Amino acid sequence: MTRPTFGSRLRAGIRVSGELMITFGVIVLLFAGYEVFGNSAEVQDEQNALSTELDDVWNDPTVGPTASAAAKAPAAPGSNLVGRLYIPKFDKEWVVVDGVQPDDIRYAPGHYPDSAKPGQVGNFSVAGHRIRKIFWRLDELKDGDVIGVETRTNWYVYKVYQQQVVKPSAVEVVAPVPGKPKAKPSQALLTLTTCNPKFNNYERLIIHAELVATSKRDQAAPNAGMPAEIKGA
């Protein structure tokens, strides 16, 4: 028998390493594909459950979470559900939870707890994953596009005035005055944040909008009195 040479061992090691790297790469790609595309049904199921919880609390504050609420949804109804966010340009709406930890935003956009509430002077800031069922198309928003927010008492209409891409460390984008952490706010603003580019997270895509209209939510009216700007086309 011929004893293996150093060169043959080296070539064999390189071949095995290459095969392992290819296999690992395929697994990573499959996982990334699942995160972006494959969990859409789960996100929709959780959003449906959260929407039911929100309606229960808004319709009757004495009602607790429904028995059908999904187990993985944020546990606290009412106080942990901020409201609904609408982007009529995409014909999309989401229930927004209060919190931006990984468990909070797994299936829903999340409100930065230290930021303003909807309609308040300051910067109502919301984070969401860059996945198909959440903020996938956020880069398509342009100046003047409408973003709507619904709370138990009010409707708020915001209009986009700026889009920017920043490093993940640029936390000043969610300051009360975006980009000026020490400034005192005088406007009611909305900021949406998500990963950038698609399929990666080494940047953050930021959308800034300003409040342009507020109206009362009327449970007895069609669509609870939703403003025409939020209804879209």
Side-chain angles (χ1 to χ4, degrees):
M1 296 179 63
T2 303
R3 179 173 297 178
T5 64
F6 173 77
S8 65
R9 289 196 185 99
L10 180 62
R11 287 191 294 272
I14 293 173
R15 183 171 61 252
V16 171
S17 298
E19 291 171 352
L20 289 173
M21 291 178 67
I22 291 171
T23 301
F24 178 74
V26 170
I27 291 172
V28 169
L29 286 173
L30 289 173
F31 178 76
Y34 169 77
E35 285 296 300
V36 173
F37 303 105
N39 65 346
S40 292
E42 292 178 73
V43 173
Q44 190 60 58
D45 287 346
E46 295 292 344
Q47 278 290 310
N48 291 343
L50 291 173
S51 186
T52 300
E53 287 187 25
L54 195 65
D55 287 337
D56 284 348
V57 174
W58 284 358
N59 294 338
D60 183 352
T62 66
V63 175
T66 62
S68 62
K72 294 181 181 178
S79 62
N80 196 47
L81 302 181
V82 177
R84 289 189 178 92
L85 178 73
Y86 297 80
I87 301 185
K89 183 174 185 176
F90 307 151
D91 192 26
K92 293 286 188 180
E93 66 178 80
W94 306 271
V95 174
V96 178
V97 301
D98 198 24
V100 292
Q101 296 302 312
D103 285 346
D104 297 323
I105 63 172
R106 187 174 182 183
Y107 301 110
H111 165 242
Y112 287 82
D114 293 334
S115 73
K117 293 297 197 306
Q120 289 182 346
V121 171
N123 188 10
F124 172 51
S125 300
V126 177
H129 283 306
R130 195 75 179 272
I131 57 176
R132 285 283 181 182
K133 278 291 183 177
I134 304 185
F135 285 167
W136 182 253
R137 298 175 60 192
L138 212 60
D139 59 306
E140 298 177 29
L141 287 177
K142 307 298 182 186
D143 288 1
D145 285 338
V146 167
I147 301 174
V149 178
E150 178 189 14
T151 67
R152 186 178 176 184
T153 57
N154 291 317
W155 291 96
Y156 301 100
V157 178
Y158 295 83
K159 285 195 175 179
V160 174
Y161 69 86
Q162 185 183 32
Q163 177 185 134
Q164 59 182 147
V165 174
V166 301
K167 297 296 183 183
S169 58
V171 295
E172 63 272 14
V173 296
V174 296
V177 178
K180 300 178 180 179
K182 296 183 180 180
K184 184 177 180 179
S186 60
Q187 293 178 286
L189 305 177
L190 164 69
T191 294
L192 305 181
T193 73
T194 192
C195 293
N196 192 73
K198 293 175 179 176
F199 301 106
N200 217 312
N201 63 356
Y202 60 83
E203 295 174 331
R204 296 293 181 266
L205 173 65
I206 312 297
I207 299 293
H208 295 298
E210 59 184 340
L211 183 67
V212 297
T214 302
S215 59
K216 285 293 181 182
R217 183 177 180 274
D218 182 359
Q219 186 66 34
N223 295 316
M226 178 186 288
E229 300 95 324
I230 299 177
K231 290 179 184 176

